[in-house]
Short mmCIF file of all heavy atoms in Angstrom, two decimals:
data_model
loop_
_atom_site.label_atom_id
_atom_site.label_comp_id
_atom_site.label_asym_id
_atom_site.label_seq_id
_atom_site.Cartn_x
_atom_site.Cartn_y
_atom_site.Cartn_z
N ASN A 161 90.20 82.90 91.72
CA ASN A 161 90.52 83.49 90.42
C ASN A 161 89.76 84.91 90.07
O ASN A 161 89.28 85.09 88.99
CB ASN A 161 89.99 82.42 89.33
CG ASN A 161 90.83 82.69 87.97
OD1 ASN A 161 91.93 83.28 88.06
ND2 ASN A 161 90.09 82.34 86.86
N ASP A 162 89.64 85.68 91.13
CA ASP A 162 88.99 86.93 91.11
C ASP A 162 90.15 88.08 90.84
O ASP A 162 90.75 88.48 91.87
CB ASP A 162 88.14 87.20 92.31
CG ASP A 162 87.40 88.56 92.22
OD1 ASP A 162 87.76 89.41 91.42
OD2 ASP A 162 86.22 88.45 92.84
N LYS A 163 90.36 88.55 89.70
CA LYS A 163 91.38 89.49 89.34
C LYS A 163 91.29 90.65 90.22
O LYS A 163 92.28 91.23 90.68
CB LYS A 163 91.48 89.71 87.85
CG LYS A 163 92.62 90.61 87.45
CD LYS A 163 92.73 90.88 85.90
CE LYS A 163 93.85 91.75 85.62
NZ LYS A 163 93.85 92.01 84.15
N VAL A 164 90.11 91.35 90.17
CA VAL A 164 89.97 92.54 90.92
C VAL A 164 90.27 92.41 92.50
O VAL A 164 90.96 93.26 93.05
CB VAL A 164 88.52 93.09 90.86
CG1 VAL A 164 88.29 94.27 91.67
CG2 VAL A 164 88.22 93.39 89.32
N GLU A 165 89.80 91.31 93.00
CA GLU A 165 90.17 91.04 94.43
C GLU A 165 91.54 90.69 94.66
O GLU A 165 92.14 91.10 95.72
CB GLU A 165 89.21 89.88 94.97
CG GLU A 165 87.88 90.40 95.37
CD GLU A 165 87.97 91.52 96.35
OE1 GLU A 165 88.42 91.33 97.41
OE2 GLU A 165 87.40 92.61 96.08
N ILE A 166 92.23 89.98 93.66
CA ILE A 166 93.62 89.76 93.82
C ILE A 166 94.43 91.02 93.83
O ILE A 166 95.33 91.26 94.72
CB ILE A 166 94.13 88.88 92.64
CG1 ILE A 166 93.52 87.53 92.69
CG2 ILE A 166 95.70 88.81 92.66
CD1 ILE A 166 93.89 86.59 91.44
N ILE A 167 94.11 91.95 93.01
CA ILE A 167 94.77 93.32 93.04
C ILE A 167 94.60 94.09 94.32
O ILE A 167 95.45 94.61 94.86
CB ILE A 167 94.28 94.18 91.79
CG1 ILE A 167 94.71 93.49 90.42
CG2 ILE A 167 94.74 95.50 91.82
CD1 ILE A 167 94.13 94.21 89.11
N ASN A 168 93.34 93.98 94.77
CA ASN A 168 92.96 94.73 96.00
C ASN A 168 93.88 94.08 97.21
O ASN A 168 94.38 94.85 98.06
CB ASN A 168 91.43 94.65 96.31
CG ASN A 168 90.71 95.69 95.41
OD1 ASN A 168 91.31 96.66 94.89
ND2 ASN A 168 89.50 95.46 95.06
N GLU A 169 93.67 92.79 97.16
CA GLU A 169 94.36 92.07 98.47
C GLU A 169 95.81 92.16 98.34
O GLU A 169 96.51 92.36 99.45
CB GLU A 169 93.84 90.69 98.51
CG GLU A 169 92.36 90.49 98.79
CD GLU A 169 91.87 91.10 99.98
OE1 GLU A 169 92.65 91.31 100.91
OE2 GLU A 169 90.68 91.39 100.00
N VAL A 170 96.42 92.08 97.26
CA VAL A 170 97.87 92.24 97.09
C VAL A 170 98.36 93.65 97.51
O VAL A 170 99.33 93.90 98.15
CB VAL A 170 98.44 91.94 95.67
CG1 VAL A 170 99.84 92.30 95.49
CG2 VAL A 170 98.30 90.44 95.44
N SER A 171 97.52 94.72 97.17
CA SER A 171 97.78 96.01 97.49
C SER A 171 97.79 96.12 98.94
O SER A 171 98.60 96.80 99.55
CB SER A 171 96.71 96.97 96.81
OG SER A 171 96.79 96.91 95.48
N ASP A 172 96.76 95.61 99.65
CA ASP A 172 96.67 95.60 101.05
C ASP A 172 97.85 94.92 101.72
O ASP A 172 98.42 95.43 102.68
CB ASP A 172 95.35 95.04 101.54
CG ASP A 172 94.16 95.82 101.33
OD1 ASP A 172 94.41 97.09 101.04
OD2 ASP A 172 92.96 95.26 101.31
N LEU A 173 98.26 93.85 101.14
CA LEU A 173 99.35 93.01 101.61
C LEU A 173 100.67 93.74 101.55
O LEU A 173 101.47 93.84 102.57
CB LEU A 173 99.43 91.65 100.91
CG LEU A 173 100.64 90.76 101.34
CD1 LEU A 173 100.63 90.45 102.83
CD2 LEU A 173 100.68 89.48 100.48
N ILE A 174 100.81 94.38 100.43
CA ILE A 174 102.13 95.18 100.24
C ILE A 174 102.18 96.37 101.28
O ILE A 174 103.25 96.64 101.99
CB ILE A 174 102.21 95.72 98.84
CG1 ILE A 174 102.57 94.62 97.90
CG2 ILE A 174 103.32 96.81 98.70
CD1 ILE A 174 102.60 94.95 96.43
N TYR A 175 101.11 97.02 101.42
CA TYR A 175 101.02 98.18 102.41
C TYR A 175 101.39 97.69 103.73
O TYR A 175 102.30 98.31 104.49
CB TYR A 175 99.66 98.79 102.33
CG TYR A 175 99.33 99.62 103.56
CD1 TYR A 175 99.97 100.93 103.73
CD2 TYR A 175 98.59 99.07 104.56
CE1 TYR A 175 99.65 101.69 104.83
CE2 TYR A 175 98.39 99.93 105.73
CZ TYR A 175 98.91 101.12 105.94
OH TYR A 175 98.74 101.89 107.03
N HIS A 176 100.72 96.59 104.21
CA HIS A 176 101.00 96.07 105.63
C HIS A 176 102.37 95.53 105.69
O HIS A 176 103.06 95.76 106.88
CB HIS A 176 99.96 95.06 106.05
CG HIS A 176 98.54 95.74 106.29
ND1 HIS A 176 97.59 95.85 105.31
CD2 HIS A 176 98.05 96.27 107.40
CE1 HIS A 176 96.50 96.45 105.87
NE2 HIS A 176 96.80 96.73 107.10
N LEU A 177 102.91 95.05 104.74
CA LEU A 177 104.31 94.49 104.72
C LEU A 177 105.27 95.73 104.93
O LEU A 177 106.20 95.71 105.65
CB LEU A 177 104.70 93.83 103.41
CG LEU A 177 104.28 92.30 103.40
CD1 LEU A 177 104.58 91.81 101.96
CD2 LEU A 177 105.03 91.47 104.43
N PHE A 178 104.98 96.86 104.23
CA PHE A 178 105.69 98.04 104.48
C PHE A 178 105.70 98.53 105.87
O PHE A 178 106.64 99.07 106.47
CB PHE A 178 105.30 99.09 103.48
CG PHE A 178 105.67 98.99 102.12
CD1 PHE A 178 106.43 97.88 101.65
CD2 PHE A 178 105.54 99.98 101.08
CE1 PHE A 178 106.88 97.74 100.31
CE2 PHE A 178 105.99 99.82 99.86
CZ PHE A 178 106.64 98.71 99.39
N VAL A 179 104.43 98.59 106.49
CA VAL A 179 104.26 98.91 107.84
C VAL A 179 105.20 98.05 108.74
O VAL A 179 105.85 98.39 109.70
CB VAL A 179 102.88 98.88 108.31
CG1 VAL A 179 102.74 99.11 109.79
CG2 VAL A 179 102.00 99.85 107.55
N LEU A 180 105.17 96.72 108.49
CA LEU A 180 105.93 95.76 109.33
C LEU A 180 107.48 96.01 109.15
O LEU A 180 108.21 96.12 110.14
CB LEU A 180 105.62 94.33 108.81
CG LEU A 180 106.54 93.26 109.48
CD1 LEU A 180 106.26 93.18 111.01
CD2 LEU A 180 106.24 91.96 108.85
#
Side-chain angles (χ1 to χ4, degrees):
N161 201 28
D162 188 328
K163 183 177 180 179
V164 173
E165 277 306 299
I166 292 173
I167 292 172
N168 285 331
E169 297 303 340
V170 168
S171 298
D172 288 341
L173 177 58
I174 290 174
Y175 162 77
H176 286 92
L177 279 171
F178 281 7
V179 174
L180 177 62

